[in-house]
């Protein structure tokens, strides 16, 4: 049984804790929050063995194997280092850090300490993504020619809140733009050319981004926004078929295959709330005593944050 701890108890931590209940070889042992009242309320909703008074006490516990970090983006690097200082494996919520230099540093530290570290991009482990990968590898419908993917909603206009506060690692690219960028990188690899426009709002935080990436033999159109409600679909055009991941495409959702003008829903069987798939992947790996994996590699995560870094460092709209 792999025993988990959680640092940071916001909305996504609740989802992860629920997902853990679907993983046979995992249990939620301990939690910690900067607010003890919040931690106690969290423990009332989820099967938790112990509430720790602070993050370090949790990281020091000999009863915990791996820690899921769900704190604010700007704290990820600090909390990863704290966990690894005490010999804990880490699954850290995306983005792992807000810079490629910090990302490389954390993976190097994990390698030095012989610890598991992975970015928690839960969509990577969903059956819908596995289905797309199978289509690409089989070549049944030829290569991918175009990807059209969006992710956007109207964010609360709170400059101090997590989404729009640059001091907390806010911004549309870090929060939701990372999902469509991940999908295109996974299915098409590295782009040859990228054209983009980043629109900024109050506090100079990015709130709307349009991207066009050119790959060998393919293109991708990406749109992410905190100012507009978008379709939130992923349309993958193969040479001989089109696959549509319906809204919200990054979650467990309906998958449509269109060939010769006919559409059919693919019979993808979903289990749990979706977060269970990444939790099971990590638990299975650690149960085998392994700390390295290629499903969401250090190189992949570093390249992903590098794309975002480049867009944010370029003077745009």
């Amino acid at each position: 049984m792999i025993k988990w701890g959680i640092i940071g108890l916001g909305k996504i931590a609740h989802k992860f804790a629920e997902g853990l209940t679907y993983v046979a070889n995992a249990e939620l042992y301990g939690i910690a929050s900067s607010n003890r009242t919040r931690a106690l309320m969290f423990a009332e909703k989820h099967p938790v063995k112990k509430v720790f008074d602070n993050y370090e006490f949790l990281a020091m516990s000999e009863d915990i194997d791996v820690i899921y970090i769900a704190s604010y983006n700007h704290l990820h690097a600090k909390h990863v280092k704290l966990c690894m200082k005490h010999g804990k494996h880490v699954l850290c919520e995306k983005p792992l850090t807000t810079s490629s230099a910090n990302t490389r540093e954390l993976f190097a530290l994990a390698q030095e300490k012989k610890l598991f570290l992975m970015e928690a991009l839960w969509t990577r482990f969903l059956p819908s993504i596995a289905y797309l990968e199978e289509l690409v590898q089989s070549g049944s419908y030829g290569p991918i020619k175009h990807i059209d993917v969006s992710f956007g909603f109207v964010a609360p206009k709170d400059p101090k809140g997590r989404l729009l506060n640059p001091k907390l690692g806010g911004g549309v690219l870090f929060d939701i733009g990372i999902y469509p960028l991940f999908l295109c990188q996974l299915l098409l690899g590295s782009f040859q050319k990228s054209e983009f426009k980043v629109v900024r709002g109050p506090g100079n935080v990015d709130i709307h981004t349009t991207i066009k990436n050119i790959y060998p033999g393919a293109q991708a159109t990406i749109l992410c926004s905190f100012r507009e409600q978008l379709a939130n679909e992923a349309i993958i055009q193969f040479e001989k078929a089109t696959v549509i991941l319906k809204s919200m495409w990054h979650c467990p959702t309906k998958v449509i295959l269109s060939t010769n003008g006919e559409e059919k829903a693919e019979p993808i069987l979903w289990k749990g709330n979706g977060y269970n798939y990444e939790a099971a992947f990590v638990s299975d790996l650690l149960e085998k005593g392994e700390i390295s994996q290629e499903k969401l590699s250090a190189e992949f995560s570093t390249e992903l944050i590098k794309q975002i870094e480049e867009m944010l460092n370029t003077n745009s709209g």
Side-chain angles (χ1 to χ4, degrees):
M1 185 65 68
I2 301 300
K3 296 180 180 179
W4 286 80
I6 298 180
I7 282 179
L9 303 178
K11 185 178 177 181
I12 200 164
H14 282 276
K15 294 179 179 178
F16 186 82
E18 180 189 341
L20 270 181
T21 64
Y22 293 90
V23 183
N25 60 343
E27 71 169 330
L28 179 54
Y29 183 88
I31 59 172
S33 171
S34 57
N35 182 315
R36 183 162 176 82
T37 301
R38 185 186 302 131
L40 293 173
M41 290 174 64
F42 190 98
E44 289 178 1
K45 295 181 179 179
H46 305 282
V48 181
K49 297 280 186 184
K50 187 171 181 178
V51 176
F52 289 85
D53 289 335
N54 59 52
Y55 298 146
E56 184 143 27
F57 286 167
L58 183 149
M60 290 169 62
S61 172
E62 294 181 359
D63 294 310
I64 291 176
D65 302 304
V66 56
I67 296 174
Y68 170 66
I69 295 173
S71 51
Y72 287 143
N73 293 346
H74 73 298
L75 294 172
H76 285 178
K78 175 184 176 181
H79 290 155
V80 169
K81 289 177 182 177
L82 172 66
C83 294
M84 291 198 293
K85 171 187 173 184
H86 294 289
K88 295 298 184 290
H89 302 297
V90 177
L91 175 66
C92 181
E93 192 50 54
K94 60 79 192 163
L96 178 59
T97 79
T98 54
S99 81
S100 56
N102 285 342
T103 297
R104 282 191 290 267
E105 179 190 9
L106 292 186
F107 280 119
L109 183 60
Q111 188 173 29
E112 175 191 322
K113 292 182 172 289
K114 295 181 172 54
L115 292 169
F116 173 86
L117 172 64
M118 190 177 79
E119 186 173 28
L121 236 169
W122 69 302
T123 304
R124 173 69 182 97
F125 303 91
L126 297 180
S128 52
I129 301 302
Y131 168 76
L132 283 173
E133 287 184 290
E134 287 170 11
L135 287 188
V136 170
Q137 290 164 9
S138 71
S140 303
Y141 299 109
I144 293 174
K145 306 304 289 183
H146 191 269
I147 295 176
D148 190 345
V149 56
S150 65
F151 198 163
F153 57 87
V154 180
K157 292 180 172 58
D158 178 9
K160 294 182 180 179
R162 175 182 69 83
L163 298 180
L164 298 178
N165 189 342
K167 291 182 180 178
L168 300 181
V172 71
L173 282 165
F174 284 140
D175 191 68
I176 57 176
I178 194 170
Y179 286 109
L181 288 170
F182 142 76
L183 183 69
C184 295
Q185 184 175 318
L186 177 71
L187 298 178
L188 295 175
S190 300
F191 55 80
Q192 294 177 320
K193 181 182 178 184
S194 182
E195 299 173 359
F196 52 84
K197 181 179 181 183
V198 178
V199 178
R200 298 181 182 273
N204 203 36
V205 71
D206 58 304
I207 58 170
H208 187 91
T209 302
T210 55
I211 307 162
K212 181 180 179 182
N213 285 347
I214 308 297
Y215 306 82
Q219 295 185 11
T221 304
I222 299 165
L223 182 58
C224 57
S225 184
F226 275 165
R227 71 180 188 185
E228 296 177 26
Q229 178 63 47
L230 301 178
N232 297 326
E233 291 186 341
I235 303 170
I236 299 93
Q237 295 179 353
F238 290 82
E239 191 174 55
K240 302 172 185 175
T242 299
V243 176
I244 303 172
L245 274 57
K246 302 297 286 184
S247 180
M248 302 284 289
W249 71 266
H250 75 299
C251 298
T253 189
K254 184 184 290 185
V255 178
I256 304 296
L257 174 66
S258 175
T259 53
N260 301 319
E262 295 183 5
E263 290 189 354
K264 67 171 183 175
E266 288 300 287
I268 293 176
L269 300 177
W270 296 99
K271 174 187 175 184
N273 68 350
Y275 287 84
N276 45 291
Y277 293 107
E278 69 173 355
F281 176 81
V282 177
S283 297
D284 290 347
L285 202 75
L286 295 179
E287 190 176 45
K288 296 173 190 171
E290 298 176 9
I291 60 169
S292 62
Q293 51 79 35
E294 290 302 319
K295 197 160 178 105
L296 190 60
S297 67
E299 293 75 19
F300 190 100
S301 289
T302 305
E303 180 61 29
L304 196 55
I305 206 65
K306 219 172 136 188
Q307 289 183 54
I308 294 176
E309 194 173 43
E310 182 180 341
M311 285 185 275
L312 292 178
N313 289 340
T314 301
N315 292 325
S316 303

